[in-house]
Amino acid sequence: MIKETELLSFMRETAYKPMTYQELEQHFQISDAVEFKEFLKLLTRLEQEGQIILTRTERYGVPERMDLVRGRLQVHAKGFAFLIPEDKEHPDVYVHANDLKSAMNGDTVLVRVSSKSAGGGKLEGEVVRIVNRAVTQIVGVFQNQESFGFVVPDDKRINRDILIPKEAFLGAVTGDKVVVRIVQYPEGRAAAQGEVIEILGHKDDPGVDILSIIRKHQLPEAFPEEVMEEALAAPDVIEEAEIVESGRRDLRDKVIVTIDGEDAKDLDDAVHIEKLPNGNTILGVHIADVGYYVREKSELDQEAYNRGCSVYLVDRVIPMLPHRLSNGICSLNPQVNRFTLSCEMEFDEDMKIVNHDIFSSVIRTKERMTYTNVRKIVQDEDPEVTERYGDLVDMFKEMKELALRLRGNRMRRGAVDFDFEESKVIVDENGKAIDIVKRERSIAEQIIEEFMLAANETVAEHFHWLKVPFIYRIHEDPDQEKLMNFMAFAANFGHKVKGGKGDKVHPRALQKLLEDIQGTKEQTVISTMMLRSMKQAKYDAESTGHFGLAAEFYTHFTSPIRRYPDLIIHRVIREVIENKGVLSQKRQEYLASRMGDIAKQSSERERVAVEAERDTEQLKKAEFMLDKVGEEFTGIISSVTSFGMFIELDNTVEGLIRLSAMTDDYYHFHEQHMALVGERTSKIYRIGDEVKIRVARVNMDDHTIDFEMLDMKPRRREDGPHGGGNVRGGFASGRPGGGKSGKGGARDGKSEAKGGKAGKYGKADRGGKPGISSKSKGKKFDKAMTDGKGGKFSKAGPDGKSGKPGKARAGRPDGIVGAVAEGGVDVKSGAPTGGGKRGKRSGAGKGRATESAAPAVSFGFGSGKGGYAPGPASLSRNGNTPPGGSGENRRKKKTSPSGIFIGGGGSPVGGETPPVRKKRKGGKGKGGGGNEPSVFVPKDKA
C-alpha cells in the first residue's frame, strides 16, 4: 500500500515531473485492484486538501514545484491580505484585494506568486485556489430593505455586507443581531449571499453583546447529550477498594493544599513542601488525573479535543469539560479522596534538582487556600488569618522562600518576565459592566507560578529523554530582523541591548533591559514592542525549547481540566507508568501520528479563546465608560502615533485623542522619539506624560473610546500647518512629503503651501494588554506570548483621501534634537545639516534637510517574514499598509530601502492632511524642502 509520505516525497524530488495517475501507477508498480482503488482515493484526498495539484493536462504535482504557496490568509479591514505560508521559511505573500477571488479571512488557500522585489524579500501574488473555508457563518446586524436584506458583519476583516434574500430572513427585523450561514461566497463585485439561521435578539438587548462574540468565534455552549451521559456516569466519590485496586502511591498523610482565586471552582493543582534531614527540600506538585475519567476516543475526549481549552469571558466560563467532572470528581476539593499525577522534586541548597519522581497517586487536600489569605499570612502577617491557619503558617513561609529562590535562579539564567498591569471587569446580574478592578500579582500568585513552572520543566525533560511521543510548549527564537528593529527602536530612548553575539540575542539581555526601564516613562512602550518582536508560544510534538523562559524543555502538565494538551500528556504519562516505562512499537507509532495534529488543533483553539476573551474585555470596558461621557480624568500617555495619542486611565481603560481634536496647534509625529510636537508652540507630548482628559464619545459598535484634551485652545487662523507662522516650532521636514520652497521650488523664490481635503480617520480600536488569565497556572510571560495581543491597540487608519502636503520648513526642533538656529535637520539622526541665514517668516536657512528615513520597525500585519509591515513602532495593531500605499490599496509605489514609503503626496496612515492654506511668501534661502518618510501604523499578527 502506497503511503502518503512516500507519494509526497517522490513528487518533491528535483527530478520529478508532473505525472498522470496511470504513470504514477506504473512507477509504484501497483497491480492489485484493491491497492489501485486505495491509491486513487489517496490522490483524490491529497488533491482536495491542496497538498498536490491536478493540472489541466490531468497531471499531479506538489504546489511548491508549480510556483504555488499554500497557507492561511490574514485579511485586513481595508481589503488586502497577506498569505502566511505553512512553510515557516517562506516569506509572506501580499495579495491585493482584487486578487483574493472569493477567499476570506482565515481561509487556507493556494497562491501563485506574481511578482518579487529586487531582493526577493517582498512577494505579491494572487489566490489560485481555496483549499479550505474558515468562515462558514457570520454574526452581524440585520438591515431590512423590504425586497432584500443585508447583514453588516461584526468582524471588520469581513469588509463586505452579506446579502440576504427575502425568503431567508427567518423573521429578522432591522437592528437584530443575527447569525448568517454563507450560501454563496463573494466573487468579483458580487456580494456574498447568506441565510439567517439564528436571531440573537436586538443589538441593544442585555446579553446579546456577549452572545454575539460567542457566535462570532463559534464557541460551543451546551454539551451534546452523549457527552453529558458519559459525564453523568462518573462517580461522585472514590471508594477505598478502587484506591487499593489502582495501585497508586498513597499521599493522604501529607499536608497538601490548593491555592487558587476566591471564585475558582475547578481546582486542578495542589502542592506540598517538606524539609529532608540532609537539608534539601522536597516540592510536590499534584495535578488532578483527569485522563483517568476522560478515556481515549470517548465522546468526552472528542468534545474536549474540539474545544481545545476552556474560555474565560468577562461574565461566564465556557468549559472544556462538563461541570460534573471539572467541579466534581476531578476537582481537588478539600478533605476528599482524589486521584492525581504527582511530580516530586528534590532541591539542594543551590536550587538544583538532584532527584525527581513522577507517579500516579491519591491525595486528600487539607485546606482550600486562596491567594488573598496566603498573601495575608506570608506578606501582611495578618494576625486573624495567621491564627486561623496556625498549623500551616510555617509551611507557607517555606513555600515563599523556595519560590523566591526558584525565581531568582530563573532570572539569572535569562528568563524574560513582563510585568504588565491587568484588570478585571465586574458585571452585574444582567451582564452590565459596573466596575473595573486591577488584578494583583502578589507573592501568593508567584508561589504557584514558580512551582508550576518547575513541574512543567521537570516533566518535559523526563519524557523527552524517555523518547515517547509527547506534546511540548515551545517558544521559538525571535525573528532576527524584528529583533534588530526592536533594538534600534530601544536605542532611540537611550537603551542598549547588551549580551548579543552577532545577530543573536540571549533572553537574559532582554530581561536586563526590562529591569533597566522599570519605572521609566518608556517602560510600557518598550515592553510592548519587545513582546511584539517575539514569536507566539505554541504547542508542538517536538521539543525545541522556550525562548522567553530560557528553558530547554517545557510542557503544559498542570491544567488538564481546562487545556487539552495537558490532558493528552497525562494519558501518556499514566500509560508509561503502568507499562513500566516501555510502550509497544505499535502504540509508539500511533501516538506519534496523533501528536502533531493535537498540537496544531490545541494551538488554533487557544488563539480563538484569546481573541474571544480580548473582544469581551474591550466590549465591557467601552460599556463601562458609556455613562462617563463628559467626565474628566487624569491619565498617562501610553502611546503616541501619527494619528493621535492613546491615553490610559488609572482603571486601565484606554482611549484615543485624535490629532484632529488637538486644536491648539498643528502637531507632527516624531517616530524616533515617539512624540507629537507642536509646529507653532513647540509643545511636546511624550509617552508617560500625565494629561487631563475628558471622555468625548464611546462607540459601542467598534468598542472604542475617544478622549479630548482639557483646556485645548483653538488654532490661530493665521497659523498655517506648513510654511507659515513661527520659524521656531517645526522640524526640518514638516509634514511627510516634499513641498516647494525657495530656489528648490517656484522660480520667483516664493514657496507654495498646498493643502487638500482632510483625510478621514478610520477606526482606532484598542486591544487588551498581554497578561495572564486569572486561571493560568503557568508563566505570565508564556500566557502573554499566546495572546497575539502584544500591544494595546487594534485598528487605526484612514479611509479618506489625503491632501498634498505643503512645504517643509527648517527651524529649531525644541526639546527633541537640540537647538538648530539656522539650517535644516536630518530626519534620521536629528542632527543639523548645515547653516545659513534664516529666511523671512517661513523661509529656511541655506542648509537642507536630508531625505534620510528613520529605521523601519517591522512589527506589523502578516508574520513579518516577507518584509511587509514596514511602519515604525507606533503601536497600532492593524493600520498596516501593503505595498500599494496608504489608505487606497494602490498596487505599487516607490519605497525606500527600509521599506518605508517616501512622501510624494500621501499622508500618514491614520493621520490627516490639513485644510487648504493660502500661498505664503518664503525666504530666499536655498533650503527648506525636505522629505520625511510617511508614517505607517503596524499591526501585530493575530
Side-chain angles (χ1 to χ4, degrees):
M1 194 71 67
I2 305 300
K3 293 182 179 179
E4 175 183 324
T5 52
E6 185 182 356
L7 178 61
L8 291 176
S9 296
F10 172 62
M11 290 185 176
R12 287 178 181 136
E13 290 178 3
T14 308
Y16 177 79
K17 292 183 179 179
M19 294 182 178
T20 63
Y21 75 88
Q22 295 98 332
E23 291 169 337
L24 288 168
E25 175 193 0
Q26 290 176 3
H27 172 81
F28 287 109
Q29 299 178 351
I30 300 172
S31 55
D32 182 69
V34 175
E35 186 180 359
F36 177 69
K37 188 176 180 180
E38 291 301 317
F39 178 65
L40 289 181
K41 285 182 181 179
L42 175 62
L43 286 175
T44 303
R45 178 174 64 82
L46 293 177
E47 198 263 332
Q48 288 174 346
E49 292 174 356
Q51 296 194 59
I52 62 176
I53 298 296
L54 181 62
T55 67
R56 294 176 183 176
T57 57
E58 302 292 323
R59 297 176 183 274
Y60 291 95
V62 286
E64 54 265 39
R65 297 291 305 280
M66 300 180 177
D67 290 328
L68 298 177
V69 185
R70 178 186 163 111
R72 179 178 55 84
L73 269 186
Q74 196 179 81
V75 179
H76 191 277
K78 296 182 186 299
F80 63 87
F82 283 93
L83 179 82
I84 312 301
E86 290 181 353
D87 179 1
K88 298 175 184 178
E89 302 302 317
H90 197 286
D92 295 349
V93 182
Y94 166 74
V95 183
H96 188 271
N98 295 338
D99 295 327
L100 282 174
K101 301 295 190 291
S102 65
M104 302 175 76
N105 183 62
D107 287 352
T108 300
V109 297
L110 293 174
V111 166
R112 175 175 287 112
V113 176
S114 55
S115 65
K116 299 182 180 180
S117 63
K122 296 183 180 181
L123 309 178
E124 292 189 37
E126 59 180 344
V127 174
V128 172
R129 179 178 168 188
I130 298 164
V131 176
N132 183 48
R133 290 282 186 185
V135 180
T136 57
Q137 62 184 48
I138 289 171
V139 177
V141 179
F142 182 80
Q143 299 289 334
N144 189 347
Q145 301 293 319
E146 294 188 5
S147 59
F148 66 94
F150 60 88
V151 171
V152 182
D154 287 354
D155 190 342
K156 302 309 174 188
R157 293 170 298 185
I158 302 171
N159 50 20
R160 297 186 188 184
D161 299 339
I162 312 300
L163 182 68
I164 311 295
K166 191 166 186 176
E167 62 273 13
F169 283 11
L170 201 69
V173 297
T174 298
D176 278 351
K177 269 288 176 77
V178 298
V179 181
V180 173
R181 179 188 294 117
I182 298 180
V183 175
Q184 182 177 316
Y185 287 87
E187 191 70 48
R189 295 187 177 183
Q193 289 191 27
E195 59 182 5
V196 177
I197 59 173
E198 184 181 6
I199 300 172
L200 304 179
H202 192 273
K203 63 184 179 69
D204 297 327
D205 289 347
V208 170
D209 49 6
I210 296 290
L211 190 57
S212 297
I213 291 174
I214 291 172
R215 293 291 188 273
K216 170 187 170 183
H217 296 284
Q218 298 185 38
L219 299 176
E221 287 186 286
F223 287 92
E225 244 180 76
E226 56 274 18
V227 173
M228 290 306 298
E229 285 177 9
E230 286 189 1
L232 290 171
D236 291 319
V237 296
I238 299 175
E239 302 293 344
E240 199 66 34
E242 189 177 5
I243 294 174
V244 174
E245 185 183 345
S246 67
R248 293 167 179 264
R249 193 177 303 180
D250 195 337
L251 301 179
R252 286 178 289 178
D253 59 332
K254 303 284 186 183
V255 181
I256 299 175
V257 296
T258 59
I259 307 177
D260 289 274
E262 278 82 353
D263 56 350
K265 295 181 178 64
D266 50 347
L267 315 178
D268 52 8
D269 58 272
V271 293
H272 89 279
I273 190 172
E274 54 185 290
K275 287 286 187 181
L276 297 179
N278 63 2
N280 289 353
T281 303
I282 289 284
L283 168 63
V285 175
H286 315 280
I287 309 299
D289 190 358
V290 181
Y292 180 79
Y293 299 99
V294 182
R295 299 294 182 174
E296 188 175 17
K297 297 182 181 178
S298 65
E299 295 293 340
L300 274 167
D301 183 47
Q302 187 59 43
E303 183 69 13
Y305 169 84
N306 291 335
R307 294 184 177 221
C309 59
S310 296
V311 185
Y312 295 86
L313 305 181
V314 168
D315 66 342
R316 72 194 76 184
V317 176
I318 299 177
M320 183 180 79
L321 296 171
H323 291 304
R324 165 84 178 177
L325 292 175
S326 61
N327 297 358
I329 196 69
C330 293
S331 184
L332 306 182
N333 300 324
Q335 303 298 335
V336 293
N337 297 331
R338 288 291 183 259
F339 285 160
T340 50
L341 289 182
S342 298
C343 176
E344 286 189 349
M345 297 153 280
E346 181 182 341
F347 293 92
D348 64 12
E349 284 298 313
D350 298 323
M351 288 296 98
K352 292 181 180 178
I353 297 178
V354 295
N355 194 17
H356 75 273
D357 197 7
I358 300 167
F359 53 92
S360 58
S361 56
V362 57
I363 67 169
R364 189 181 181 92
T365 58
K366 184 173 179 63
E367 284 287 353
R368 187 255 196 259
M369 298 297 298
T370 65
Y371 293 129
T372 302
N373 284 339
V374 172
R375 172 179 55 81
K376 287 180 178 180
I377 291 171
V378 301
Q379 186 170 297
D380 302 341
E381 296 185 353
D382 184 287
E384 183 181 339
V385 179
T386 301
E387 183 180 356
R388 179 181 172 187
Y389 299 105
D391 56 336
L392 300 176
V393 169
D394 290 341
M395 182 182 74
F396 288 130
K397 288 183 177 179
E398 289 176 2
M399 285 184 176
K400 174 186 174 181
E401 182 185 350
L402 178 62
L404 291 177
R405 295 186 68 188
L406 285 172
R407 175 178 167 76
N409 260 15
R410 193 161 53 82
M411 292 298 102
R412 282 190 291 275
R413 80 183 184 196
V416 183
D417 188 14
F418 290 98
D419 190 19
F420 288 103
E421 208 168 47
E422 301 165 13
S423 63
K424 181 180 181 181
V425 182
I426 308 298
V427 297
D428 62 17
E429 63 277 5
N430 296 318
K432 183 179 179 182
I434 56 173
D435 197 10
I436 299 174
V437 296
K438 290 184 179 178
R439 281 181 178 151
E440 186 179 9
R441 189 189 180 197
S442 69
I443 183 63
E445 281 88 351
Q446 289 183 43
I447 287 172
I448 290 299
E449 184 177 288
E450 295 301 329
F451 289 0
M452 299 303 123
L453 280 169
N456 284 335
E457 289 187 46
T458 302
V459 169
E461 182 168 6
H462 180 92
F463 284 89
H464 170 78
W465 294 117
L466 277 183
K467 299 192 181 304
V468 297
F470 215 63
I471 291 180
Y472 299 91
R473 183 70 170 176
I474 68 167
H475 182 221
E476 298 165 302
D477 289 356
D479 177 83
Q480 294 307 317
E481 182 182 353
K482 282 190 175 184
L483 198 56
M484 297 302 287
N485 285 335
F486 164 72
M487 291 165 67
F489 173 74
N492 290 327
F493 293 88
H495 297 288
K496 187 176 181 182
V497 179
K498 300 176 182 178
K501 294 182 180 179
D503 59 355
K504 293 279 186 182
V505 174
H506 193 278
R508 187 185 298 109
L510 299 179
Q511 177 59 31
K512 179 65 168 62
L513 174 60
L514 290 176
E515 292 169 1
D516 291 343
I517 63 174
Q518 192 74 30
T520 63
K521 290 183 177 181
E522 62 268 21
Q523 178 181 352
T524 299
V525 66
I526 290 182
S527 298
T528 303
M529 297 312 295
M530 182 189 294
L531 187 62
R532 290 187 181 180
S533 72
M534 297 180 182
K535 294 183 179 179
Q536 296 173 340
K538 61 181 181 179
Y539 298 104
D540 202 284
E542 301 295 328
S543 177
T544 57
H546 197 295
F547 177 84
L549 295 176
E552 188 175 356
F553 307 100
Y554 195 68
T555 190
H556 274 173
F557 161 73
T558 53
S559 294
I561 286 178
R562 61 188 183 86
R563 293 190 304 226
Y564 191 70
D566 303 53
L567 174 59
I568 286 297
I569 68 169
H570 271 228
R571 195 174 285 152
V572 173
I573 290 169
R574 196 175 66 256
E575 191 172 346
V576 169
I577 292 170
E578 290 173 353
N579 288 279
K580 311 297 183 187
V582 180
L583 295 179
S584 69
Q585 183 67 29
K586 185 177 180 181
R587 185 61 178 164
Q588 285 258 24
E589 290 177 0
Y590 172 76
L591 289 174
S593 69
R594 293 281 296 131
M595 291 306 173
D597 175 64
I598 291 171
K600 182 180 178 183
Q601 163 75 359
S602 300
S603 296
E604 289 174 355
R605 295 308 301 169
E606 180 184 48
R607 300 282 180 263
V608 171
V610 166
E611 285 186 19
E613 290 167 5
R614 185 185 64 209
D615 283 354
T616 55
E617 185 176 317
Q618 285 179 319
L619 162 70
K620 290 303 176 183
K621 282 187 174 181
E623 183 182 72
F624 177 72
M625 297 301 289
L626 263 178
D627 60 357
K628 310 289 187 298
V629 173
E631 292 187 21
E632 299 175 1
F633 297 88
T634 298
I636 299 294
I637 299 176
S638 55
S639 179
V640 180
T641 75
S642 62
F643 53 87
M645 303 182 297
F646 282 99
I647 312 298
E648 180 179 340
L649 306 184
D650 186 57
N651 62 5
T652 71
V653 168
E654 292 172 311
L656 171 67
I657 297 180
R658 300 173 185 272
L659 209 61
S660 58
M662 300 176 69
T663 56
D664 65 335
D665 203 346
Y666 289 91
Y667 287 88
H668 301 283
F669 174 55
H670 198 275
E671 64 182 279
Q672 285 180 290
H673 298 271
M674 295 298 289
L676 288 178
V677 183
E679 183 172 294
R680 176 179 59 82
T681 62
S682 296
K683 199 171 187 177
I684 301 170
Y685 291 101
R686 302 174 188 267
I687 290 171
D689 288 350
E690 186 176 278
V691 293
K692 293 183 177 180
I693 61 93
R694 180 186 296 112
V695 181
R697 66 190 65 84
V698 176
N699 186 333
M700 287 307 296
D701 290 332
D702 298 326
H703 311 154
T704 59
I705 304 166
D706 279 1
F707 295 154
E708 59 188 13
M709 198 80 74
L710 292 184
D711 306 322
M712 181 68 73
K713 297 178 181 179
R715 302 183 183 99
R716 283 166 28 192
R717 289 180 65 97
E718 65 270 18
D719 290 331
H722 313 292
N726 194 335
V727 177
R728 293 174 179 267
F731 287 103
S733 61
R735 290 262 177 178
K740 298 178 181 179
S741 173
K743 291 185 178 180
R747 288 183 185 177
D748 57 2
K750 295 180 180 180
S751 62
E752 292 182 356
K754 293 185 179 180
K757 290 185 179 180
K760 293 182 182 178
Y761 279 94
K763 292 170 183 158
D765 195 2
R766 305 302 303 278
K769 293 182 180 178
I772 193 168
S773 155
S774 61
K775 292 297 299 175
S776 190
K777 295 295 186 181
K779 183 69 182 63
K780 184 175 186 179
F781 172 90
D782 186 57
K783 170 68 170 147
M785 287 290 92
T786 73
D787 287 356
K789 301 186 208 181
K792 302 178 180 175
F793 324 119
S794 354
K795 300 168 186 172
D799 53 11
K801 292 185 178 179
S802 300
K804 293 183 179 179
K807 75 162 233 176
R809 296 188 294 114
R812 180 166 66 86
D814 244 1
I816 297 291
V817 291
V820 183
E822 298 170 296
V825 178
D826 187 315
V827 299
K828 181 174 183 180
S829 65
T833 58
K837 186 176 180 180
R838 185 187 301 167
K840 295 178 183 179
R841 289 179 65 83
S842 63
K846 293 181 180 179
R848 263 184 94 174
T850 68
E851 294 186 1
S852 303
V857 185
S858 300
F859 306 109
F861 184 66
S863 71
K865 298 192 297 296
Y868 299 105
S874 55
L875 293 185
S876 171
R877 285 187 58 81
N878 60 351
N880 295 275
T881 304
S886 59
E888 301 178 12
N889 278 338
R890 291 174 186 161
R891 298 300 296 271
K892 292 183 180 178
K893 199 163 185 178
K894 184 179 178 182
T895 63
S896 68
S898 66
I900 299 181
F901 298 117
I902 299 299
S907 70
V909 168
E912 76 172 350
T913 305
V916 178
R917 310 300 303 176
K918 293 181 180 180
K919 295 182 180 180
R920 305 187 64 94
K921 293 183 179 181
K924 295 181 180 180
K926 293 181 181 180
N931 287 350
E932 187 170 274
S934 297
V935 179
F936 290 91
V937 185
K939 175 184 183 298
D940 219 3
K941 180 179 171 183

